[in-house]
Amino acid sequence: MATYDLIIRNGTIVDGTGEARFTGDVAVKDGLIAAVGQVHGDATQEIDAKGKVVAPGWVDVHTHYDGQATWDAEMAPSSWHGVTTVVMGNCGVGFAPAAPDRHKWLIELMEGVEDIPGTALAEGMKWNWETFPEYLDALEEMPRTVDVGTHVPHGAVRAYVLGDRERPGAIPTADDITRMADIVEEGVRAGALGFSTSRTVLHRSINGEVVPGTTATKEELIAIGRAMGRAGHGVFEMASDMRREWDEFGWMGALSRETGLPCTFAALQSIAKEQPLDEQIANMRAENDNGANIVAQIALRGNGIVMAWQGTVHPFRLKPSYQAIAELPWEEQKAKLLDSAFRAQVLSETSDYSEVNQDIIGLIQVVCCGWTMQFEMGPAFNYEPQADESVAARAAAAGKTGDEYAYDLLCENDGKGFIYLPILNYADGNLDFLEALQNSDDCVNSLSDGGAHCGTICDAASPTFMLEHWVKNRKRGTITLENAVKRQCNDTARLYGLHDRGVLAPGYLADINVIDMDAIKLGKPWLAFDLPAGGKRLLQKAEGYDCTIKGGVVTFQNGTWTGATPGGLIRGPQMAAMLEAAE
């Protein structure tokens, strides 16, 4: 009988601790790492990783697979990019608890906030739950390629407690707040990894209403945080406009000190945030210096929009002539769009902003005519483009106006061209400000939004972008491979109390990537219509992942799913087997 189930031989091991890489072997037994270094003995399966990097599987703590995880075992696109653990239920949106008469409301909230097709959610989810513990039970029934954990989402809790009273500006009673806190405590005790809320005008339902957390008082939020404290674990996650009058860092700091639990927030250069990013970080650190545990979630590239004719957003969406064909089948739309007379007609018109909410009018104007901020997406696109690569610059060089050039870009490849608009994290026209944050222990690499913004982004590819851009190719300064792996594995796992993964050491889960760093590369995005009810989503594959291994089982080989589904549901904090034995 073989000594081990699997041995990965001769690899360059980057173990997730941040320590220097070394050459060696990794042995796996019963889903756990059994030995690291020079491994003797044999195995049922061996992988020769000579010249390849062997690293832990990525732990992505900011995703929105809340619906997809109930019907999709593959969990693409995150699983295509070496991710072996996802945490969902972020930004206060999700599907439990769910009163039977609130299903449509919850779908519309998710569709508006996260751009997940409502028709896909309506067809894909079976709603075989009502309470949050029942939702966890439903998740546990389905095997997947990855492990999933989740927050209790604020929007669902408010809708469950307030019912028809839930609307922007709704003020819950003291009894309502007590009931909400009890629901969160019940969910955390059942296995939720935390609670999430959103307090930004950029997050709206499909009907244009701001999410419930936007107008919540700090008393409500603190009561919910205290509920997690009673349960003894959990992360308080928040997206916020960081208005100074709200004193978000003040109450997060006080809550963290009182409960001993971490709070984490989306830290971005954002047109919606009153506080600039450096002020957010400074305020966080002032609270942490006073005993709090607040962690900033940072994105690794400009958060924005990939625009296409068939996508959710493009510069001509508010032109009257486009509006007239917007509901036609694609082939009929395409025939119009590629017609020179129709092109001239659209370009002669002014966008109609009359129905646009004034809170986001500036954003919409940038979408419609911000040519200096928009960039052509070619086959080998650089996600840190410079000013001379903008639509405005290239239009001038081609002797065209910005709108002419943009229109023609979208018409390329038989109407399947793309334009990139980094709305957030790109105020300076580069990503220099992120370098220092990627070496800060009070920040984690996050905000991939995997499974969300289906018609506008594909940032689920963030771990691959980290390797290709930040480790390998960035001309303005790179980070080390050791640091990148630590940040996407160990740091993210530890924030959520997942001490059983993110490191290659005996006793840890055998969640492993074998990576060819010479080949690592993002593929060109494409629009697929493969969600339930033909729902659309932007997808992006990667080259360079030789193998992804979950719990000792190879789930992906050379970018192809093996069909294996060793992933399950995470319930609460996890300890490594080696740590349990020590206790």
Side-chain angles (χ1 to χ4, degrees), residues 423-576:
I423 296 171
L424 311 178
N425 268 11
Y426 219 65
D428 304 323
N430 60 64
L431 301 175
D432 291 352
F433 71 100
L434 290 172
E435 287 189 59
L437 296 181
Q438 289 187 75
N439 290 285
S440 300
D441 290 338
D442 52 14
C443 301
V444 294
N445 291 357
S446 182
L447 306 181
S448 83
D449 275 337
H453 301 291
C454 298
T456 50
I457 67 170
C458 190
D459 286 353
S462 290
T464 305
F465 173 77
M466 174 185 67
L467 296 181
E468 181 184 8
H469 187 74
W470 279 104
V471 174
K472 268 184 67 175
N473 295 336
R474 189 170 186 263
K475 295 177 181 178
R476 301 175 67 90
T478 58
I479 63 173
T480 67
L481 177 60
E482 287 84 352
N483 185 43
V485 171
K486 174 179 178 291
R487 293 188 62 78
Q488 195 62 60
C489 299
N490 195 18
D491 290 357
T492 45
R494 285 174 36 157
L495 172 61
Y496 277 83
L498 306 181
H499 298 285
D500 61 341
R501 66 198 70 204
V503 173
L504 299 182
Y508 284 76
L509 287 179
D511 295 355
I512 305 167
N513 280 314
V514 179
I515 305 166
D516 183 348
M517 283 297 293
D518 292 334
I520 200 76
K521 183 180 180 181
L522 283 171
K524 184 179 179 180
W526 77 96
L527 263 172
F529 295 83
D530 61 350
L531 291 174
K536 69 187 173 192
R537 57 175 176 165
L538 271 166
L539 294 174
Q540 190 171 27
K541 282 211 165 189
E543 298 175 18
Y545 289 99
D546 283 15
C547 292
T548 297
I549 297 161
K550 171 67 199 159
V553 178
V554 177
T555 51
F556 288 86
Q557 198 154 23
N558 296 318
T560 300
W561 181 26
T562 64
T565 54
L569 172 70
I570 304 166
R571 288 186 185 263
Q574 304 291 312
M575 300 300 288

Side-chain angles (χ1 to χ4, degrees), residues 199 218 242-248 274-275:
R199 293 160 61 73
K218 70 177 182 180
M242 295 297 176
R243 291 174 61 178
R244 293 188 179 92
E245 66 188 74
W246 292 347
D247 187 26
E248 304 282 49
E274 186 173 332
Q275 297 179 46

Side-chain angles (χ1 to χ4, degrees), residues 136-148:
L136 292 181
D137 292 343
L139 289 173
E140 198 164 38
E141 291 175 2
M142 184 174 184
R144 301 172 196 82
T145 59
V146 303
D147 279 348
V148 300

Side-chain angles (χ1 to χ4, degrees), residues 175-191:
D175 287 343
D176 291 334
I177 292 175
T178 297
R179 190 175 172 211
M180 284 191 273
D182 289 345
I183 287 171
V184 173
E185 182 176 352
E186 176 189 49
V188 171
R189 289 188 185 278

